[in-house]
Amino acid sequence: MNSEIAPRLIGAGTALPPNYVDQEHLTARLRELWQARYSDLRRFDQIQGALGITGRHLALPIEAYIPLDTFAKTNRAWMRVAPEVGTAAARAALNRAGLEPRDVDHLFFVTVTGIATPSIDTRVISALGMRKDVKRTPIFGLGCVAGATGMARTSDYVRAFPNDVSMLLSIELCSLTLQREDLSIANIIASGLFGDGSAAMIFSGNDRAGGKGPQVIATRSLLFPNTEEILGWEVVDSGFKIVLSSKLTDLVAAHIRDEVDSFLAAQNLERANIRHWIAHAGGPKVLRTVESSLELPEGALARSWKSLESVGNLSSASVMFTLTDLIDEGAADPGDYGMVIGMGPGFSVELVLLKW
């Protein structure tokens, strides 16, 4: 793609709920919850310790989770908190872009941790005072890949409408999906891995003046057939039950290198041309698999590791947090290439090529 007509990321912001809890305390509370029924507490401790997370932000104070014993109760909590944290992230992105809420022409909203009709973006629109004719595209079900996929679709819009401004908003309150009765290894891992947060990004078309952020040069969406049982939700009476197969990292190892190389070759680039790697912080095993499969230099995924350690896996918001961190640090120079790698249910992969 000609970089002269490529959409540009002109503002990014993040927000976290105020209820921070260190990982040791969270692990202790989960241990109390399950110790009477979980036969191998040593294994539980090993799993939690291997995640390498120091703490997470929760949608609610930790004691407020005790009464949430039905999906209806947890989803009501999600509907209450999601607009608050989402509005904060959107405001931060708008401020970085030097824009007002009424400047946004299209809002893309992604989530996988709660449901609402009308979708939660309507409440964010009202809170911010956006125009009543703002276009809306709420997307549910992409899971962790939705941050990268959202970047692709949001930039696609302003590629088609270069005079417009589009916003991507991710809100994930993963703590509200905890399944108390599920003693599977997948749920034990998820209970220690996922955190809560929101991120927003603003893209402008080439026809709008200004903007110093990276351009979206190219994107690629990948869906591997017959992999629905690898990752996702099983909807049960108590809400969203995690589906997480041990085969996930095998899929990543088998495909990620060839897919990245093919994508880059289409742009006459190689992995050596990529200076900044922004990978979904899915967990230690996922990040190590990406590092080894792509033969990345030491420290290439340092920001993804940092995000995982400090706030946990934020589902779709994770790659957005990592990219925002990179932008805030001013670590990219003009001409640098960056690669966003998102992975999620399906099994699906999203690749986004950036250029500063």
Side-chain angles (χ1 to χ4, degrees), residues 179-249:
Q179 296 298 302
R180 305 184 193 192
E181 304 304 316
D182 181 6
L183 298 180
S184 67
I185 294 297
N187 192 50
I188 298 299
I189 293 172
S191 68
L193 179 63
F194 288 93
D196 299 350
S198 177
M201 291 184 166
I202 298 175
F203 295 82
S204 70
N206 185 65
D207 289 358
R208 291 184 66 94
K212 299 180 180 179
Q215 292 178 297
V216 180
I217 301 300
T219 69
R220 179 173 289 180
S221 301
L222 300 161
L223 176 64
F224 297 90
N226 303 313
T227 57
E228 293 85 358
E229 303 303 318
I230 296 296
L231 182 65
W233 291 136
E234 178 186 352
V235 181
V236 296
D237 289 344
S238 53
F240 300 130
K241 179 180 177 180
I242 188 73
V243 174
L244 178 60
S245 170
S246 60
K247 297 178 182 179
L248 173 60
T249 50

Side-chain angles (χ1 to χ4, degrees), residues 265-281:
Q267 306 301 320
N268 298 313
L269 296 172
E270 300 177 347
R271 272 175 279 144
N273 298 119
I274 304 299
R275 185 178 174 194
H276 308 286
W277 294 89
I278 304 99
H280 169 58

Side-chain angles (χ1 to χ4, degrees), residues 72-152:
K73 292 178 182 178
T74 56
N75 200 64
R76 280 197 293 270
W78 183 87
M79 291 181 64
R80 184 175 70 253
V81 178
E84 298 172 358
V85 67
T87 299
R91 280 204 176 101
L94 287 165
N95 289 338
R96 302 280 179 82
L99 297 176
E100 297 297 326
R102 296 182 63 81
D103 294 323
V104 176
D105 299 290
H106 197 140
L107 174 61
F108 290 78
F109 169 58
V110 297
T111 189
V112 77
T113 54
I115 55 175
T117 303
S119 50
I120 286 296
D121 55 300
T122 60
R123 303 187 184 204
V124 175
I125 288 169
S126 296
L128 289 171
M130 289 182 171
R131 303 193 318 263
K132 66 180 180 181
D133 65 343
V134 64
K135 299 173 186 177
R136 300 167 45 232
T137 303
I139 304 172
F140 178 88
L142 289 175
C144 295
V145 78
T149 304
M151 293 183 205

Side-chain angles (χ1 to χ4, degrees), residues 155-332:
S155 64
D156 283 347
Y157 173 79
V158 293
R159 185 176 292 120
F161 298 92
N163 287 312
D164 283 6
V165 168
S166 61
M167 175 187 287
L168 168 63
L169 176 63
S170 163
I171 306 174
E172 303 289 16
L173 304 180
C174 303
S175 68
L176 292 173
T177 69
L178 176 67
Q179 296 298 302
R180 305 184 193 192
E181 304 304 316
D182 181 6
L183 298 180
S184 67
I185 294 297
N187 192 50
I188 298 299
I189 293 172
S191 68
L193 179 63
F194 288 93
D196 299 350
S198 177
M201 291 184 166
I202 298 175
F203 295 82
S204 70
N206 185 65
D207 289 358
R208 291 184 66 94
K212 299 180 180 179
Q215 292 178 297
V216 180
I217 301 300
T219 69
R220 179 173 289 180
S221 301
L222 300 161
L223 176 64
F224 297 90
N226 303 313
T227 57
E228 293 85 358
E229 303 303 318
I230 296 296
L231 182 65
W233 291 136
E234 178 186 352
V235 181
V236 296
D237 289 344
S238 53
F240 300 130
K241 179 180 177 180
I242 188 73
V243 174
L244 178 60
S245 170
S246 60
K247 297 178 182 179
L248 173 60
T249 50
D250 294 337
L251 270 172
V252 176
H255 296 289
I256 196 67
R257 177 172 176 163
D258 288 346
E259 296 296 351
V260 167
D261 286 351
S262 171
F263 175 58
L264 290 174
Q267 306 301 320
N268 298 313
L269 296 172
E270 300 177 347
R271 272 175 279 144
N273 298 119
I274 304 299
R275 185 178 174 194
H276 308 286
W277 294 89
I278 304 99
H280 169 58
K285 289 182 68 176
V286 170
L287 287 177
R288 284 194 293 266
T289 301
V290 172
E291 287 174 332
S292 60
S293 299
L294 296 179
E295 299 177 329
L296 298 181
E298 184 177 354
L301 296 185
R303 289 182 181 85
S304 295
W305 281 105
K306 175 186 173 185
S307 180
L308 179 66
E309 178 186 12
S310 59
V311 295
N313 180 343
L314 301 178
S315 190
S316 66
S318 278
V319 291
M320 299 171 68
F321 267 69
T322 302
L323 180 54
T324 301
D325 185 42
L326 170 64
I327 293 171
D328 287 348
E329 288 184 12

Side-chain angles (χ1 to χ4, degrees), residues 21-99:
V21 183
D22 67 75
Q23 193 75 351
E24 184 177 351
H25 182 57
L26 272 176
T27 299
R29 296 302 299 267
L30 290 169
R31 206 175 194 274
E32 292 174 6
L33 175 64
W34 287 322
Q35 63 183 356
R37 292 173 296 141
Y38 195 72
S39 59
D40 190 354
L41 288 176
R42 184 169 61 178
R43 175 66 172 149
F44 171 83
D45 292 337
Q46 289 173 343
I47 292 172
Q48 299 292 319
L51 295 173
I53 297 171
T54 57
R56 286 171 286 163
H57 292 256
L58 304 181
L60 307 172
I62 195 165
E63 298 300 328
Y65 287 81
I66 296 173
L68 302 181
D69 55 0
T70 68
F71 179 45
K73 292 178 182 178
T74 56
N75 200 64
R76 280 197 293 270
W78 183 87
M79 291 181 64
R80 184 175 70 253
V81 178
E84 298 172 358
V85 67
T87 299
R91 280 204 176 101
L94 287 165
N95 289 338
R96 302 280 179 82
L99 297 176

